[in-house]
Amino acid sequence: MENMSAYPQEISGENIPMVKFAKVRKAYGDLVVLDDLDLDVAAGEMVSIIGPSGSGKTTVLRMLMTLERINSGCIYVDGKPLTHMPANGALVPASERHLRKRRIDIGMCFQHFNLFPHMTALENCMEGPVQVLGLSKAEARDRTEELLEMVGMIAKMDQHPSRLSGGQQQRVAIARALAMRPKVMLFDEVTSALDPEVIGEVTNVIRQLVSEHNLTMLMVTHQMGFARDISDRVCFFYDGKIEEQGPPAELFGNPKKERTQQFLSAVKEAV
Amino acid sequence: MFDWNWAFTWEILPRLIHATGNTLIAAGAGYAIALVLGLILALAQRSQYRALTFLVREFVEFIRSTPLLLQIFFVFYVGPQFGIRLSPWASGMIAIGLHYSCYLSEVYRGGIESVPRGQWEAATALNMTMLQTYRRVVIPQAIPSALAGMGNYLVGIFKDTPMLSVIGVAELIHTANAIGSENYRFLEPYTMVGLIFLAISLPAAGLIRVFESYVRRKLGM
């Protein structure tokens, strides 16, 4: 097992990153998906992750959501370790209990929405607040209706997901994640499964989130224009590493690395 | 020669109807045991404890590969040698409940596995516990696809209750045998038993299908 003594048990001081990946490695057998990833995301920052498929972009989000275990390194959220926990003065792999305590800060939206099909839009959004946060039904309903209003789905709140379009389902899924009041929101290719004409209704909701809320956000996307518009920073992933990163104007306008240039021109041709 | 005695038929009917009640109780109680135990077995097979998973899987295979009749005999006749002395009714319920729980555990397992992985991940993203994930997300979605199989085994358990006659449970076949040997007439009791089984099994299968589509609608699927 890895010697964890090089990793602090808590990050303190001013300007601690909301999310910190410290030498995080993920491999499936011989296939290295992420190779000693170091990435800090500041509180309130919107970071977009772009790159060719198989470059490990989605894995970054899935590890942060604790859907995948990491092989080595450590992930911190709000200064405290997520993937590990302190025990007898050292960091050890997190127990299920520790994960439950720490991942409350993180919310995620998926490519295929993953709404619960046996619940209405409203019930989907109330489920977490009532069952997990222990809110009363009335409190949860107030909170949820406000969010459904924000994503423009209040009129359809009593519909089951099977009666909603992809764009509508994704907007409900965003409201569902926000209802847990996370500090960090993860968007995993949230427009990839949508018909082109409804992509706008989802990206507009995310735009609104960026401008009106101080959420920390990580977004994996194939929509370069959207990433360029709303991100504070864009990371280009290649082969399990961050090949290049920077403010969107710089990365899209004047990419330094050859692979970034190749990727961006290939994407441009496809559009 | 075909010689149907209507007077005799009417005379034995009350006894058969009483036995039908016993059959339904046996099937109902056995099924209730099987429903609960089957779910426990299904969840145990999905646990992260390898040893438990292995033991339960072998147990299920063992029960499914040996005849119900043998299991009934075992509980009733061999049980006492281990100090477990049970009435015919209790032995019968345990044997039949245990037997069908193994089949139902497979039905549940199929239902649970039909729930897409994204549903589990969404539950994790909402920080639900394992118990909440099963209770609120997975099992409600597993039930509609498991219902057809569950219904089949309800009819199956009902048709297997005659096996309990061998240890003296006064269900339909046992009663028909008794009537037959008391009166030296078997045509009427056996025919009536067949008709009673038919009269219950056929509508039951139909009702199960109606119930299945009701549940699907109720769950918005």
Side-chain angles (χ1 to χ4, degrees):
Chain A
M1 200 204 279
E2 192 189 6
N3 180 5
M4 297 298 294
S5 59
Y7 300 89
Q9 291 185 32
E10 190 164 349
I11 303 168
S12 51
E14 280 179 39
N15 294 327
I16 56 167
M18 179 55 80
V19 175
K20 182 181 186 66
F21 288 81
K23 285 202 178 326
V24 172
R25 185 185 168 84
K26 175 75 186 173
Y28 300 105
D30 287 338
L31 179 72
V32 178
V33 185
L34 283 172
D35 195 2
D36 288 354
L37 173 71
D38 285 308
L39 174 65
D40 284 8
V41 182
E45 195 182 12
M46 166 54 138
V47 174
S48 288
I49 298 174
I50 62 169
S53 51
S55 58
K57 330 183 277 296
T58 288
T59 309
V60 173
L61 301 193
R62 293 177 58 82
M63 292 188 312
L64 186 50
M65 192 65 255
T66 70
L67 298 174
E68 313 250 359
R69 293 246 168 189
I70 65 175
N71 295 115
S72 64
C74 186
I75 302 176
Y76 296 84
V77 176
D78 206 8
K80 297 187 195 78
L82 167 77
T83 51
H84 294 74
M85 57 183 185
N88 304 322
L91 284 181
V92 298
S95 64
E96 184 53 37
R97 221 180 117 189
H98 177 82
L99 289 179
R100 255 183 64 72
K101 213 162 69 190
R102 303 294 307 138
R103 78 176 153 226
I104 197 80
D105 289 338
I106 307 160
M108 183 164 181
C109 294
F110 300 88
Q111 182 177 356
H112 297 288
F113 337 124
N114 298 355
L115 290 178
F116 303 133
H118 56 300
M119 300 180 193
T120 63
L122 180 71
E123 287 164 349
N124 260 283
C125 298
M126 286 173 60
E127 185 66 12
V130 171
Q131 300 292 331
V132 178
L133 304 181
L135 263 60
S136 73
K137 286 227 167 117
E139 283 174 291
R141 202 185 163 108
D142 285 348
R143 181 188 279 203
T144 299
E145 283 185 355
E146 204 175 295
L147 288 165
L148 285 170
E149 182 79 59
M150 187 195 93
V151 300
M153 286 300 295
I154 198 84
K156 302 242 177 199
M157 68 177 188
D158 291 323
Q159 301 283 357
H160 281 91
S162 56
R163 304 287 301 273
L164 302 175
S165 72
Q168 291 171 333
Q169 289 190 54
Q170 195 59 287
R171 284 186 281 151
V172 172
I174 292 172
R176 176 174 74 171
L178 290 173
M180 299 296 284
R181 304 242 165 109
K183 295 178 183 162
V184 183
M185 269 291 277
L186 311 178
F187 296 98
D188 184 15
E189 299 192 28
V190 288
T191 56
S192 297
L194 299 179
D195 293 329
E197 70 271 21
V198 299
I199 287 177
E201 59 189 61
V202 172
T203 52
N204 282 340
V205 167
I206 298 175
R207 267 178 225 274
Q208 198 184 341
L209 277 180
V210 171
S211 63
E212 292 172 14
H213 297 259
N214 195 34
L215 269 167
T216 307
M217 292 186 245
L218 273 94
M219 175 173 83
V220 170
T221 185
H222 292 295
Q223 287 188 281
M224 300 305 146
F226 182 50
R228 184 176 191 152
D229 275 3
I230 66 159
S231 309
D232 298 310
R233 178 160 45 126
V234 179
C235 297
F236 172 66
F237 270 71
Y238 189 90
D239 212 9
K241 289 193 185 78
I242 299 178
E243 180 79 8
E244 185 170 352
Q245 58 176 317
E250 215 166 281
L251 191 121
F252 288 110
N254 184 20
K256 309 241 171 346
K257 298 276 183 72
E258 200 188 328
R259 280 180 183 138
T260 319
Q261 294 162 0
Q262 279 169 358
F263 175 75
L264 290 175
S265 65
V267 170
K268 223 170 267 163
E269 270 166 38
V271 172
Chain B
M1 200 191 102
F2 191 75
D3 163 30
W4 180 273
N5 185 337
W6 279 108
F8 180 58
T9 307
W10 294 123
E11 189 191 317
I12 63 172
L13 200 57
R15 271 178 84 184
L16 289 176
I17 287 172
H18 180 76
T20 306
N22 280 350
T23 291
L24 289 176
I25 290 167
Y31 194 61
I33 293 172
L35 280 180
V36 176
L37 196 61
L39 184 60
I40 294 169
L41 291 176
L43 295 181
Q45 282 193 64
R46 292 185 61 89
S47 102
Q48 52 187 325
Y49 302 105
R50 292 281 167 81
L52 178 68
T53 305
F54 175 79
L55 279 176
V56 171
R57 192 161 297 162
E58 292 304 305
F59 174 76
V60 168
E61 274 313 304
F62 171 72
I63 295 283
R64 295 205 311 162
S65 312
T66 51
L68 172 59
L69 194 57
L70 180 70
Q71 291 157 14
I72 293 172
F73 280 146
F74 237 84
V75 175
F76 187 63
Y77 292 115
V78 182
Q81 290 195 12
F82 296 94
I84 305 165
R85 236 166 266 282
L86 297 168
S87 70
W89 267 95
S91 308
M93 294 304 87
I94 288 171
I96 216 166
L98 197 66
H99 186 82
Y100 273 91
S101 71
C102 291
Y103 284 96
L104 279 171
S105 79
E106 292 296 301
V107 171
Y108 287 133
R109 212 160 63 96
I112 289 169
E113 276 164 14
S114 74
V115 177
R117 207 165 61 123
Q119 294 290 310
W120 294 85
E121 293 181 348
T124 303
L126 289 177
N127 208 15
M128 291 177 138
T129 61
M130 189 56 93
L131 191 68
Q132 287 168 334
T133 304
Y134 270 114
R135 195 168 58 85
R136 304 284 308 173
V137 177
V138 174
I139 290 179
Q141 292 183 62
I143 282 177
S145 53
L147 267 181
M150 290 164 76
N152 284 343
Y153 286 122
L154 176 59
V155 176
I157 210 167
F158 172 64
K159 287 193 300 175
D160 268 354
T161 48
M163 300 237 190
L164 301 178
S165 65
V166 296
I167 53 169
V169 172
E171 50 64 65
L172 271 168
I173 296 286
H174 190 269
T175 306
N177 277 339
I179 293 170
S181 42
E182 283 161 23
N183 300 281
Y184 305 107
R185 287 194 72 89
F186 288 93
L187 173 65
E188 292 84 358
Y190 283 161
T191 307
M192 291 309 289
V193 166
L195 289 175
I196 289 170
F197 268 102
L198 207 59
I200 294 171
S201 292
L202 281 181
L207 280 175
I208 288 161
R209 273 196 296 278
V210 172
F211 181 65
E212 200 185 324
S213 61
Y214 166 78
V215 170
R216 277 181 195 276
R217 241 195 350 268
K218 191 91 184 157
L219 294 174
M221 298 167 118

